[in-house]
Amino acid sequence: MAVSERPRWTNLAALGLLLAGLGPLLMLLAILIWGLDTEGDLPFFLGTTAIALIASFLVWRFGAWAKIVGILAAILVAMALFWTAFGLAQPSSFFDFMPGILVLPGALLAIVACIMALLAKRRGQVAARADGGEKRGIQVVTGVVVLAALVSGALSLFTRSTAEAGDAAATATLKDFEFAEGQYEVPGGSEIFVRNDDPFFHTFTVDELDIDEGFGAGSSKVIDIPQEPGTYVVYCVPHTSEPEEPAEDDMAATITVT
């Protein structure tokens, strides 16, 4: 086999790992651009990105052992970032939706293509560049990712809701995956102004009051508060594991209706 020749499906496998690595990189860029508190997120996102991108290069440059490394790297990244798949339900939130498009589909593509490349090498199916089915596969995958990015970007921009605080009794700001205040107090029958300052999708949800409003990046709304006195848990659905008894790392607060 010539130095420049590679087993068929090698380029597709490398592309899959590249896409899987772009997912956490995209989220990291959003966190840095919006100036969010990264805490332990920086090494996590940098690490998963590095694993995927280094594995992509190894798969593209080297032989059978690199394909095995690529499979292991794809599995590792998929396990670490499996939750990005939930972002597929939010096409109007670019930084949620695109990682969902990139990470798990990219990892799965890499695993399948690495296996196919190992089989192709055993059969002597090599080429200097992608052709035939592999070339069409690369074109289709690239086209789908670009189209998804354009559609999600447009939806994120044009479906963003904006409102003024007006005579709202209180303001709740969603920032750094937290409510700006741990407790809110509003009179029954009044309004609360809610603004999402994160680049990710959040909700303002109070089950007992039948309130469940979604907020894309930069969105703001005025929400009516029913005349039902009491203290309730308000939380973000995607970022709270136990709404009834929120943990410290859940995105939740309390709201008291007087």
Side-chain angles (χ1 to χ4, degrees):
M1 181 174 67
V3 174
S4 60
E5 291 184 329
R6 299 179 180 87
R8 288 191 65 190
W9 312 110
T10 293
N11 294 289
L12 191 60
L15 175 61
L17 283 162
L18 175 63
L19 296 178
L22 289 179
L25 180 60
L26 190 62
M27 289 184 284
L28 179 59
L29 289 175
I31 289 172
L32 295 177
I33 292 172
W34 263 260
L36 306 187
D37 183 6
T38 60
E39 293 185 359
D41 294 334
L42 184 61
F44 173 76
F45 286 125
L46 282 177
T48 50
T49 297
I51 289 171
L53 297 186
I54 292 172
S56 176
F57 172 75
L58 294 176
V59 164
W60 177 79
R61 180 64 179 82
F62 298 102
W65 67 268
K67 308 300 185 291
I68 296 174
V69 169
I71 292 172
L72 295 176
I75 293 173
L76 180 61
V77 171
M79 291 176 62
L81 296 165
F82 72 93
W83 44 268
T84 56
F86 299 123
L88 292 173
Q90 303 299 334
S92 60
S93 179
F94 183 84
F95 291 106
D96 290 292
F97 182 70
M98 286 311 298
I101 285 287
L102 294 169
V103 176
L104 292 190
L108 179 59
L109 175 64
I111 292 169
V112 173
C114 278
I115 293 172
M116 294 174 67
L118 288 170
L119 295 175
K121 182 177 181 180
R122 293 186 61 181
R123 297 167 181 167
Q125 298 173 344
V126 299
R129 59 180 60 86
D131 58 8
E134 182 181 17
K135 182 178 180 180
R136 288 191 294 273
I138 292 173
Q139 292 172 339
V140 169
V141 170
T142 303
V144 168
V145 170
V146 171
L147 179 61
L150 292 174
V151 171
S152 182
L155 288 174
S156 300
L157 180 63
F158 294 113
T159 64
R160 183 175 60 183
S161 59
T162 56
E164 298 295 331
D167 296 327
T171 296
T173 303
L174 315 180
K175 177 75 171 180
D176 283 329
F177 295 94
E178 295 178 343
F179 288 83
E181 299 178 27
Q183 183 174 354
Y184 300 91
E185 183 173 327
V186 293
S190 65
E191 299 173 328
I192 184 169
F193 176 68
V194 183
R195 184 180 72 242
N196 180 14
D197 286 348
D198 277 350
F200 304 101
F201 177 83
H202 294 309
T203 72
F204 185 93
T205 302
V206 186
D207 293 330
E208 294 86 350
L209 300 179
D210 292 325
I211 296 174
D212 187 23
E213 295 286 344
F215 293 82
S219 290
S220 58
K221 297 179 184 179
V222 174
I223 299 175
D224 295 325
I225 301 299
Q227 292 183 339
E228 299 182 27
T231 298
Y232 310 97
V233 174
V234 54
Y235 66 98
C236 170
V237 172
H239 304 113
T240 301
S241 56
E242 294 292 340
E244 295 182 359
E245 296 182 7
E248 185 177 350
D249 58 348
D250 282 331
M251 186 174 176
T254 59
I255 183 168
T256 299
V257 180
T258 59

